[in-house]
Amino acid sequence: MLEALIWDVDGTLAETERDGHRVAFNRAFVECGLPWHWGVPEYGRLLRVAGGFERLLAYMDERQDAPPDPVVRERLARSIHACKNHHFALLVEQGGLGPRPGVRRLIEQCLGQGIVLAVATTTSRGNVEALFPHLFGAQWRDLFRAVVCAEDAPRKKPDPLVYNLVLERLGRTCAEVLAMEDSPAGLAAARAAGVACLITRSRYFAAADFAGAAWVCSDLDAPVSVSGLTSARVDVAALRAIHARHRERDSGRAKEGGQGPEKERPR
Ligand code: XBP
Ligand code: MG
């Protein structure tokens, strides 16, 4: 039985990467006096690394002009990252990073039908606190039973830590919840925690392979047809049907002893 929905943030609740974090990183490079710049395609490549701090370290590994000393490198990454998050908050204030289609509607429908909501994100807590008032209003904290961020879960996605912490705080088992994600790392983290995962493709992962997802769609306002249920968009009934079918398949695979990769679900 579906009891809770766990939301990823970046790319799932809002398209924050290309015009948010990426722009903020570039402004931080300028402010820190660094001749670095992340264009749209390069940032898409760097997004394979979850976590802005880890992404900076991975980038420095590629740069001849990065400090050779690992301690100096880490200190530099921390100061760039803090500066970046300051610029991200300013960008959020300027507007333009609104919720993705269907997000507000589905959140209201879930709350109205007793589905508990939570957040499992790799992003820094400060970014959630900057973004969420603009997505959900000043009372956003009332919407989510648990909000687990980078500071709570230092091992970033695809590590399942963030999902396991949310399950613990909700007091729920992995069989009772559904994750909403946009990236392969997010899908892998949810699946490693035993959680069924619905994918809403974000810009940077429009063509990614999401084998193992319970459902893949372009966004939450896309039609759903699953187990005899058809719906004009992803609503609570669709979530329940997607979750139930995935649990049946998961238990079926467990009985056969196989973990064979599933075919990606059609839109
Ligand atoms: C996506 C990430 C984050 C953001 C940047 O998080 O990987 O690192 O790109 O945020 P999500 P930070 O799990 O919400 O998709 O710089 O704070 O890490
Ligand atoms: Mg994401």
Side-chain angles (χ1 to χ4, degrees):
M1 181 70 174
L2 180 64
E3 302 294 344
L5 191 58
I6 305 175
W7 294 86
D8 165 57
V9 175
D10 294 301
T12 300
L13 287 174
E15 282 280 14
T16 53
E17 294 290 2
R18 185 190 69 183
D19 302 334
H21 291 297
R22 182 187 67 87
V23 173
F25 272 113
N26 287 331
R27 290 182 184 177
F29 294 149
V30 171
E31 190 169 319
C32 296
L34 293 161
W36 303 343
H37 182 82
W38 289 350
V40 175
E42 179 161 35
Y43 189 67
R45 178 179 66 81
L46 292 164
L47 261 183
R48 288 169 317 180
V49 178
F53 170 70
E54 292 81 358
R55 197 167 302 140
L56 284 163
L57 291 176
Y59 180 68
M60 285 197 237
D61 284 346
E62 302 169 1
R63 298 283 314 190
Q64 296 301 322
D65 57 351
D69 179 307
V71 172
V72 175
R73 200 173 272 204
E74 181 160 333
R75 196 180 306 133
L76 176 60
R78 293 241 179 262
S79 63
I80 299 168
H81 194 229
C83 183
K84 182 280 279 188
N85 284 346
H86 169 70
H87 282 286
F88 179 76
L90 294 177
L91 279 164
V92 167
E93 281 303 314
Q94 287 166 15
L97 294 175
R100 288 193 62 189
V103 163
R104 282 200 186 118
R105 166 188 57 79
L106 187 56
I107 281 179
E108 279 163 28
Q109 287 172 338
C110 284
L111 292 172
Q113 298 182 50
I115 304 276
V116 168
L117 302 178
V119 170
T121 179
T122 295
T123 203
S124 312
R125 184 167 294 277
N127 295 335
V128 168
E129 290 171 349
L131 180 66
F132 276 33
H134 292 269
L135 297 184
F136 309 117
Q139 308 308 319
W140 65 270
R141 286 179 175 77
D142 298 343
L143 305 180
F144 301 100
R145 186 75 58 84
V147 178
V148 178
C149 302
E151 293 82 353
D152 311 301
R155 293 197 311 276
K156 306 291 173 64
K157 298 173 185 175
D159 190 290
L161 178 59
V162 65
Y163 278 100
N164 289 330
L165 287 175
V166 169
L167 291 173
E168 199 178 297
R169 293 195 189 175
L170 294 179
R172 290 291 173 190
T173 67
C174 60
E176 297 173 305
V177 308
L178 183 68
M180 305 281 277
E181 277 280 358
D182 74 299
S183 68
L187 171 61
R191 298 301 293 135
V195 172
C197 184
L198 185 154
I199 293 290
T200 58
R201 289 183 178 279
S202 58
R203 277 195 204 103
Y204 271 120
F205 299 109
D209 171 33
F210 289 112
W215 191 260
V216 181
C217 58
S218 55
D219 61 54
L220 295 173
D221 283 344
V224 177
S225 176
V226 59
S227 310
L229 172 134
T230 55
S231 169
R233 58 184 63 85
V234 178
D235 55 18
V236 174
L239 291 178
R240 291 195 190 282
I242 289 166
H243 178 257
R245 185 183 70 169
H246 194 86
R247 298 312 317 171
E248 278 159 34
R249 290 189 168 167
D250 256 2
S251 56
R253 266 197 307 286
K255 282 194 196 98
E256 290 155 23
Q259 292 298 321
E262 293 171 75
K263 289 273 168 281
E264 177 174 336
R265 297 280 163 270
R267 233 190 67 147

